[in-house]
Amino acid sequence: MQSLFNSNTGRALVWATTAASLVLALSGCSGRSDAAAPEAQADRAKAAALAPGQVRLQPASLKMLDIVSLSQSGAAQTVAMPARVAFQDDKVAAVAIPVEGRVVSVNVQVGDKVQAGATLATLVSPEALRIRYEVEAARTAKELAAVEEQRQRTMLAKGVGVEMELRAAQSKLRETAQELARAQGVAALLGSGSGDKIVLRAPRAGVIAERNALPGAAAESGAALFLVGDPGAMRIVADAFEGDLAGIHLGADAVVKVQQLAVATQGTVRNIGAVLDKESRRATVLIDLKMQPAGLRPGMQASVEIPLAATQQMLIPVTAVLIKDGDRSLVFVQAEDAVFEARTVVLGQPLRGMVPVQSGLQAGDRIVVRGGLLLDGAASQML
């Protein structure tokens, strides 16, 4: 019995000691929980104060955001295009050879100023010799037909002629006259010169912008060997992307910057091309200069900036938009200094980094244009 008592007494002491230890441990945990309770309660109170869709950032994180205030007109938009300097269409003339030939001599260089009728080059062409021979043959045939017609007329007047032969002679005279006119028209295309020589002359006063003739070189029929233009009549030829054409209108002001001259000048949109290039998907935009700067030459590279047509919709940067669930567009709007709310917006078609807002935002809203992913991640952690 004494042994059993001692055994039971030992177990009771062990249980008592263990229970006391657990009480002390729980008391310690309870003390730590009570110490942290105010901070946790404050965090829960802040989170409870936020409306659905809102998120609060730490002040240090605000430096990672770019925030802008929206105006009713949205961001200003301009379209930039590569361009080149060219002669005005009605102030330039190409000088081409109408038949095949070979260049004998060239009298001008690129940049030379010439007067109308000045000799540009001399060529030889067997085809030119043949055409001029046809003119002489047609002239001789017409003269013979005229003599025959007069003879038949005289004979009929004397009573020894036949009226049918007179009519045949008259018909022959008309045919030869028509052939002579045709041959002379073809020969006129050769310009000045005789025999097999062709002399190319300047059709107008101006400056030699292009020269594609070299002594001894062969020239194909219709090849433009020279380009003569008025140096005081330049225009700008710009290439606009397909997506920018809708915002460009006739009469719009343009800023033209010529790289080689390091100058900028003003211009006006004169014409907008109706056909797109199949490969580049661009259309030609012609710009008339309000004042031509000194030293401007055809072929110089330039750049053009044109303000796009005004829009009634508010524009925001595409970087401000987050896509959720595949088709829902969100923009974070600053509600307070460190509080932001995710707002669903309806958008139009983006253009050059900007997108029109159809609904969901209004003037005066301060939106996050860069750093929205940080807010989206913070909002996801609160769910």
Side-chain angles (χ1 to χ4, degrees):
M1 291 292 292
Q2 183 67 30
S3 173
L4 179 60
F5 174 79
N6 291 338
S7 175
N8 291 337
T9 303
R11 290 193 184 96
L13 290 174
V14 171
W15 290 344
T17 303
T18 304
S21 300
L22 287 173
V23 169
L24 291 175
L26 290 173
S27 299
C29 292
S30 176
R32 287 194 298 271
S33 176
D34 292 342
E39 182 178 352
Q41 291 174 359
D43 291 340
R44 285 194 295 270
K46 289 182 179 180
L50 296 179
Q54 289 187 339
V55 62
R56 187 189 304 274
L57 286 185
Q58 295 297 325
S61 300
L62 294 177
K63 299 178 181 180
M64 303 177 65
L65 305 180
D66 288 344
I67 304 172
V68 299
S69 181
L70 295 181
S71 63
Q72 186 63 41
S73 59
Q77 283 251 75
T78 60
V79 54
M81 300 175 290
R84 60 191 181 279
V85 182
F87 288 111
Q88 295 182 17
D89 293 343
D90 57 346
K91 300 296 183 180
V92 64
V95 183
I97 179 173
V99 295
E100 293 184 359
R102 187 171 299 277
V103 180
V104 175
S105 62
V106 180
N107 298 71
V108 294
Q109 303 291 333
V110 174
D112 289 351
K113 294 182 178 181
V114 296
Q115 298 297 321
T119 300
L120 304 180
T122 302
L123 300 91
V124 293
S125 170
E127 184 68 10
L129 180 62
R130 184 190 64 80
I131 291 174
R132 288 174 176 142
Y133 171 79
E134 288 181 352
V135 173
E136 295 303 321
R139 182 179 289 110
T140 300
K142 179 179 179 298
E143 291 174 354
L144 292 176
V147 171
E148 178 62 19
E149 191 271 343
Q150 182 61 43
R151 188 177 74 84
Q152 291 294 335
R153 186 183 298 276
T154 302
M155 290 176 62
L156 186 61
K158 293 180 178 181
V160 296
V162 180
E163 186 173 355
M164 289 297 296
E165 293 182 355
L166 174 60
R167 291 183 178 180
Q170 290 174 339
S171 177
K172 183 66 172 180
L173 178 59
R174 287 193 297 269
E175 291 177 1
T176 55
Q178 292 173 355
E179 177 61 20
L180 176 60
R182 184 201 63 80
Q184 288 176 333
V186 174
L189 298 176
L190 300 176
S192 59
S194 60
D196 63 348
K197 289 187 178 181
I198 299 176
V199 179
L200 296 183
R201 300 184 182 276
R204 60 169 298 133
V207 63
I208 303 297
E210 292 184 12
R211 169 188 149 170
N212 300 314
L214 293 173
E220 296 181 356
S221 175
L225 301 184
F226 299 94
L227 191 67
V228 183
D230 184 354
M234 301 289 184
R235 72 167 30 155
I236 304 300
V237 181
D239 297 318
F241 283 109
E242 180 179 4
D244 295 334
L245 291 173
I248 302 174
H249 62 278
L250 296 178
D253 292 331
V255 178
V256 180
K257 299 179 180 179
V258 182
Q259 300 174 2
Q260 293 89 335
L261 301 182
V263 298
T265 186
Q266 299 295 318
T268 304
V269 176
R270 171 72 176 275
N271 180 270
I272 302 174
V275 180
L276 291 174
D277 183 86
K278 294 182 179 179
E279 296 182 358
S280 65
R281 306 305 298 171
R282 295 189 180 193
T284 299
V285 177
L286 300 182
I287 299 170
D288 288 341
L289 296 174
K290 295 182 178 180
M291 183 178 66
Q292 181 172 315
L296 197 65
R297 294 178 178 272
M300 285 184 170
Q301 297 297 315
S303 61
V304 173
E305 293 182 357
I306 300 177
L308 294 179
T311 176
Q312 298 300 321
Q313 295 177 312
M314 184 178 300
L315 299 175
I316 64 173
V318 294
T319 55
V321 182
L322 299 178
I323 304 299
K324 300 290 289 185
D325 302 327
D327 58 355
R328 188 162 63 99
S329 299
L330 293 182
V331 173
F332 277 96
V333 180
Q334 188 176 32
E336 300 176 14
D337 289 344
V339 177
F340 300 84
E341 65 178 16
R343 192 175 298 177
T344 301
V345 294
V346 178
L347 306 174
Q349 290 295 324
L351 176 65
R352 303 192 67 80
M354 305 295 289
V355 58
V357 179
Q358 298 176 359
S359 65
L361 295 175
Q362 59 185 358
D365 285 342
R366 290 177 57 80
I367 67 171
V368 178
V369 298
R370 199 172 299 275
L373 290 176
L374 172 65
L375 291 169
D376 189 48
S380 299
Q381 293 178 7
M382 295 177 60
L383 297 177

